[in-house]
Amino acid sequence: MSKTTEQVRQSLAKRYRAEKRFRAFGIASIAFGLLALLLLFTDIIGKGHTAFFEHYIQMEVTFDADTLGIDDATNQDQLNFANYDGVIRNALRERFPQVQSRGQKRELYSLISTGAGYPLRDMLASHPALLGQTRTLWLLADDDVDQYFKADRQGREDSRLTPEQKAWLTSLDDNGQVKKEFNASFFTSGDSREPELAGIWGAVCGSFFTMLVTLLLSFPIGVAAAIYLEEFAPRNRFTDFIEVNINNLAAVPSIIFGLLGLAIFIGLFGMPRSVPLVGGIVLTLMTLPTIIISSRAAIKAVPPSIREAAMGLGASPMQVVLHHVMPLAMPGMLTGAIIGMAQALGETAPLLMIGMVAFIVDVPAGPVDPATVLPVQIYLWADSPEQSFVALTSAAIMVLLAFLIAMNTLAVFLRKRLERRW
Amino acid sequence: MDNASTLNKGQQVRRAANPLQAEGKPPMSNEHPYPEKTVGAPFVDDPKMRMRDVDVFYGDKQAIHGVSLDIGKNEVVALIGPSGCGKSTFLRSLNRMNDTIDICRVSGSLHLEEQDLYDPKMDVVELRARVGMVFQKPNPFPKSIYDNVAYGPRLHGLANKKYDLDEIVETSLRKAGLWEEVKDRLHQPGTGLSGGQQQRLCIARTIAVSPEVVLMDEPCSALDPIATAKIEELIAELSESYTIAIVTHSMQQAARVSQRTAYFHLGHLVEMNDTDTVFTKPQHSLTEAYITGRFG
């Protein structure tokens, strides 16, 4: 065996060892990442899954005209001002006639959510004949009651409820007058001070409109800027200066963009506060550098031979870009847009500055209605003192993640389709 | 090949003054001085393209030094010479492909028939429709074979109806000798063809706009001998209806396909003559040195 072969053999063993080590490092890193993801998901789902269900209490409710304080169930005004809490209280008193003292009565009334009256109004509005009749209804329980039923033995002992309240609940439960149902209102209603009434839909709509504005503004502007800089701009000091500043802009803390939005769009231009339109514009400024930088990289990656071929056939620079460069760079541009949008979706700080942190109960119907967005909603709920908001916060995080996954899936799908076309 | 050590002092100074020569290109030596005027017969009667005193600069480097030559109608002109001698640069200035390079500047008089190529009023799009180009590396668009060929005609609005376009595509592919091989898969991507087929597709794409002149920049350098032979046959056929200027590294190829050959050396046109004459009785010592394989 020649000397070289021997040397090669020796170094081979070393090289293979190094390769194995490297592979092990890679696998370890991926395992670490997956573990972190798993922990995150277990924690969030573990805390949040209870928020998707809530408890209802069965009551014999009498639509008593005197208690409601109305005489005509077809009159909208009367329906709006009727005393539904009164009938619910009557029902509770009838169910527990032994409760006499004022303090105890107040404790009894607090078992039912303050929002339980709204469904009664809707029932009465659609069936005016119900006035004066008695119905067996499921009423939404208060969040403390909800927590009590969701808690384990230890949790039940620690509950804020008084021993009397616990006794009443036990009696209701034993009679089969308590049920657990899917919390549909979480997905259909806006924010509320009462955890059992609070929903995520307002924030989802707010996020949707904000993202829509951001996408509609940042993608065309970003792509146009990238194409101009890559394909048309002369190389000189001025364009170098622009390039440096775009890179700098990508590194500016996001709250600065919020301050800018507050000063310029709201202060100077007098745009309304707390609206997705302004939020979208601010996030556009934040997303633009990401989209420009990645679009430029995608354009650079288009082989020059394709440009030459098109130009050699007599295509104008604009045609070269539209027919060849853009379609080939589109998947890369979309990737940039996804990253930018994902960043924007999770952004809280700049939106705090422009007032999207306000407590807004109504679900926004358009980009100029006051709204909040998912991450801000999470921040608001995490900040609330009621126990039930812990679960709601985690549930909202799940919704945010689902929103993100849906957005990315759509983008990946679009990218795949565009790639197949070519 | 690098006989830099044999250079005397004066030539080293000259090399430094001309940056193109500083790149280890075949050196000049005293026995082979540049001719004052191009040797041979660079001009023909009634040429298709007429170039006089063409200089091309990249920034302040001069790549082409006062080249004057004619390209006759329906003839194949081969441009040969060692790497970096400026033959590709010269070819690219014939349909203004150099315009895309910011620092490139062309001076002198270049005419396609009576039209000045660098006249400010000259439309580049029109020029490139009349003077087409085939590149060194096959560069089909990542589209279907059909769309590749149809791109030029669509661009210039040469066909209004699908029927006309189909016909142009078929004729062009037939002329490029590719029709039989691809007629059943016209709508599959052009990038899926073999290298030689791709290059013939590029030729079909170029002739689909019916140019008057076809410029070919080393069209066979990325191909195997069989594909090369096919392209050479094709060039011979095409020369019946087109004027062709071809840059090539292969002297055999120049000898096989061209009627006239121009020998470039470091940006100078040293000699131009009938191909036979250039290869059998070169008149300049530099040409002789190159074709006998002393450098290049």
Side-chain angles (χ1 to χ4, degrees):
Chain A
M1 195 190 298
S2 78
K3 198 165 165 249
T4 327
T5 323
E6 200 150 318
Q7 277 178 332
V8 168
R9 284 243 169 107
Q10 281 170 358
S11 76
L12 264 186
K14 213 172 145 192
R15 268 189 272 171
Y16 287 147
R17 269 202 305 280
E19 226 162 81
K20 243 182 221 162
R21 246 192 335 263
F22 186 75
R23 210 177 303 162
F25 276 136
I27 292 170
S29 327
I30 290 171
F32 181 75
L34 283 179
L35 190 72
L37 198 69
L38 192 72
L39 274 176
L40 179 85
F41 275 111
T42 351
D43 181 53
I44 290 172
I45 294 173
K47 275 187 188 146
H49 75 277
T50 59
F52 294 119
F53 296 93
E54 51 191 3
H55 285 85
Y56 288 80
I57 295 174
Q58 197 183 44
M59 283 286 136
E60 300 274 327
V61 181
T62 309
F63 290 93
D64 180 31
D66 286 343
T67 320
L68 286 169
I70 61 174
D71 44 33
D72 178 11
T74 53
N75 185 322
Q76 202 62 42
D77 276 346
Q78 287 194 6
L79 282 178
N80 283 345
F81 291 102
N83 182 11
Y84 301 104
D85 289 349
V87 267
I88 292 171
R89 284 174 191 169
N90 285 345
L92 280 165
R93 273 203 308 277
E94 270 169 37
R95 174 67 180 78
F96 297 102
Q98 70 274 26
V99 177
Q100 290 299 331
S101 76
R102 271 178 72 86
Q104 278 206 325
K105 276 183 185 165
R106 196 175 299 132
E107 284 175 5
L108 179 63
Y109 299 156
S110 72
L111 292 183
I112 301 289
S113 162
T114 50
Y118 304 132
L120 298 191
R121 184 191 60 192
D122 297 341
M123 282 177 69
L124 206 51
S126 50
H127 304 286
L130 275 177
L131 195 62
Q133 297 193 3
T134 304
R135 283 281 181 280
T136 307
L137 299 176
W138 288 102
L139 301 174
L140 182 59
D142 188 66
D143 62 304
D144 283 331
V145 175
D146 191 47
Q147 284 290 305
Y148 175 80
F149 283 121
K150 282 172 182 170
D152 51 11
R153 179 183 291 270
Q154 182 61 38
R156 291 190 178 195
E157 273 172 30
D158 294 345
S159 169
R160 283 185 359 177
L161 299 175
T162 63
E164 288 84 8
Q165 284 177 315
K166 287 177 188 169
W168 296 327
L169 289 176
T170 315
S171 138
L172 284 168
D173 202 12
D174 292 345
N175 281 334
Q177 285 179 291
V178 176
K179 73 164 179 181
K180 189 165 140 182
E181 268 215 341
F182 180 66
N183 184 359
S185 71
F186 177 73
F187 296 101
T188 55
S189 55
D191 196 11
S192 170
R193 292 276 179 239
E194 304 297 328
E196 73 272 17
L197 298 174
I200 198 74
W201 190 241
V204 169
C205 287
S207 268
F208 174 76
F209 290 126
T210 311
M211 286 300 106
L212 196 68
V213 173
T214 310
L215 183 70
L216 289 182
L217 288 176
S218 65
F219 193 63
I221 296 177
V223 167
I227 287 177
Y228 178 75
L229 285 173
E230 259 329 295
E231 298 283 323
F232 298 103
R235 294 263 174 276
N236 57 27
R237 256 168 216 220
F238 184 64
T239 44
D240 285 350
F241 177 75
I242 288 177
E243 186 164 351
V244 169
N245 275 291
I246 288 173
N247 292 342
N248 281 342
L249 218 53
V252 169
S254 57
I255 195 151
I256 310 286
F257 288 106
L259 279 169
L260 179 125
L262 178 63
I264 308 277
F265 301 125
I266 294 178
L268 204 62
F269 297 158
M271 289 170 136
R273 271 163 226 274
S274 313
V275 299
L277 179 67
V278 179
I281 296 174
V282 168
L283 290 179
T284 298
L285 296 180
M286 210 199 74
T287 319
L288 266 180
T290 316
I291 294 186
I292 294 178
I293 291 169
S294 59
S295 297
R296 288 187 70 174
I299 293 170
K300 268 197 192 120
V302 174
S305 65
I306 295 293
R307 289 190 185 86
E308 285 201 323
M311 264 181 315
L313 284 171
S316 68
M318 196 64 225
Q319 287 171 324
V320 173
V321 168
L322 285 183
H323 298 167
H324 301 285
V325 176
M326 275 261 282
L328 286 179
M330 198 41 91
M333 289 173 170
L334 275 178
T335 310
I338 298 167
I339 296 171
M341 296 295 286
Q343 235 176 1
L345 179 65
E347 203 54 69
T348 320
L351 301 179
L352 300 183
M353 303 307 297
I354 57 157
M356 289 189 86
V357 71
F359 172 70
I360 291 150
V361 177
D362 292 326
V363 175
V368 287
D369 286 347
T372 189
V373 292
L374 283 165
V376 175
Q377 188 68 74
I378 291 166
Y379 164 77
L380 283 171
W381 282 350
D383 212 29
S384 299
E386 283 90 347
Q387 266 288 310
S388 297
F389 276 122
V390 176
L392 279 180
T393 307
S394 295
I397 292 172
M398 280 190 252
V399 172
L400 177 65
L401 288 175
F403 200 107
L404 197 77
I405 291 168
M407 222 167 77
N408 284 0
T409 315
L410 180 74
V412 169
F413 171 74
L414 275 178
R415 199 173 58 186
K416 275 265 150 58
R417 277 209 48 186
L418 286 172
E419 270 176 349
R420 231 197 325 240
R421 257 188 61 198
W422 288 87
Chain B
M1 192 187 84
D2 188 9
N3 45 359
S5 55
T6 65
L7 285 172
N8 64 33
K9 227 175 181 178
Q11 280 155 346
Q12 273 170 343
V13 170
R14 185 174 171 167
R15 280 176 66 121
N18 186 343
L20 265 182
Q21 284 176 273
E23 289 166 3
K25 300 294 177 250
M28 288 283 303
S29 64
N30 275 343
E31 21 165 355
H32 306 302
Y34 288 124
E36 290 275 311
K37 246 178 75 199
T38 301
V39 175
F43 307 130
V44 295
D45 294 333
D46 191 21
K48 186 75 190 170
M49 295 189 89
R50 185 163 53 85
M51 273 65 67
R52 293 292 179 272
D53 301 317
V54 176
D55 291 327
V56 181
F57 298 86
Y58 288 118
D60 26 280
K61 294 178 195 171
Q62 188 167 3
I64 298 287
H65 299 261
V67 169
S68 301
L69 63 86
D70 285 341
I71 299 174
K73 281 183 179 138
N74 288 11
E75 76 170 353
V76 180
V77 170
L79 310 179
I80 59 168
S83 296
C85 69
K87 50 196 193 303
S88 286
T89 301
F90 181 73
L91 192 77
R92 290 168 63 95
S93 58
L94 299 188
N95 74 342
R96 292 184 56 176
M97 284 302 283
N98 284 337
D99 285 15
T100 54
I101 303 164
D102 285 343
I103 53 165
C104 185
R105 197 159 52 78
V106 179
S107 69
S109 114
L110 296 91
H111 285 84
L112 172 63
E113 286 175 340
E114 290 317 307
Q115 239 171 336
D116 183 357
L117 303 187
Y118 285 82
D119 186 334
K121 275 180 256 161
M122 179 77 205
D123 192 288
V124 183
V125 169
E126 189 204 313
L127 170 66
R128 291 186 188 146
R130 293 178 65 189
V131 183
M133 188 152 193
V134 176
F135 297 85
Q136 183 169 1
K137 231 181 90 194
N139 54 356
F141 298 129
K143 302 184 182 210
S144 72
I145 294 169
Y146 183 94
D147 287 338
N148 260 287
V149 182
Y151 183 71
R154 276 185 185 141
L155 205 61
H156 301 294
L158 299 183
N160 295 322
K161 295 194 192 102
K162 173 130 188 11
Y163 175 78
D164 294 340
L165 197 60
D166 287 349
E167 197 172 286
I168 293 179
V169 170
E170 184 177 338
T171 328
S172 310
L173 284 171
R174 274 192 197 285
K175 279 189 196 164
L178 197 61
W179 177 252
E180 292 301 324
E181 290 161 61
V182 301
K183 64 181 176 190
D184 298 327
R185 46 171 176 158
L186 284 178
H187 294 283
Q188 280 170 30
T191 39
L193 297 173
S194 74
Q197 288 175 324
Q198 285 191 14
Q199 193 62 298
R200 278 182 284 152
L201 177 62
C202 292
I203 293 175
R205 184 176 65 186
T206 305
I207 57 183
V209 291
S210 317
E212 296 160 38
V213 182
V214 179
L215 308 175
M216 297 186 172
D217 190 357
E218 296 179 37
C220 302
S221 65
L223 305 181
D224 66 70
I226 295 168
T228 302
K230 279 194 177 157
I231 303 258
E232 285 177 6
E233 265 172 49
L234 180 58
I235 292 171
E237 279 167 34
L238 292 177
S239 69
E240 285 166 20
S241 33
Y242 303 96
T243 302
I244 296 173
I246 177 170
V247 164
T248 176
H249 261 135
S250 151
M251 282 172 282
Q252 289 84 350
Q253 187 171 63
R256 281 192 299 262
V257 302
S258 71
Q259 278 93 58
R260 292 200 307 139
T261 297
Y263 173 65
F264 279 72
H265 191 100
L266 300 177
H268 297 263
L269 176 58
V270 175
E271 180 166 350
M272 183 163 183
N273 219 327
D274 290 342
T275 300
D276 287 348
T277 318
V278 170
F279 283 104
T280 52
K281 291 185 283 269
Q283 293 171 24
H284 195 271
S285 50
L286 273 171
T287 319
E288 192 188 349
Y290 181 70
I291 63 168
T292 51
R294 296 238 294 280
F295 49 69

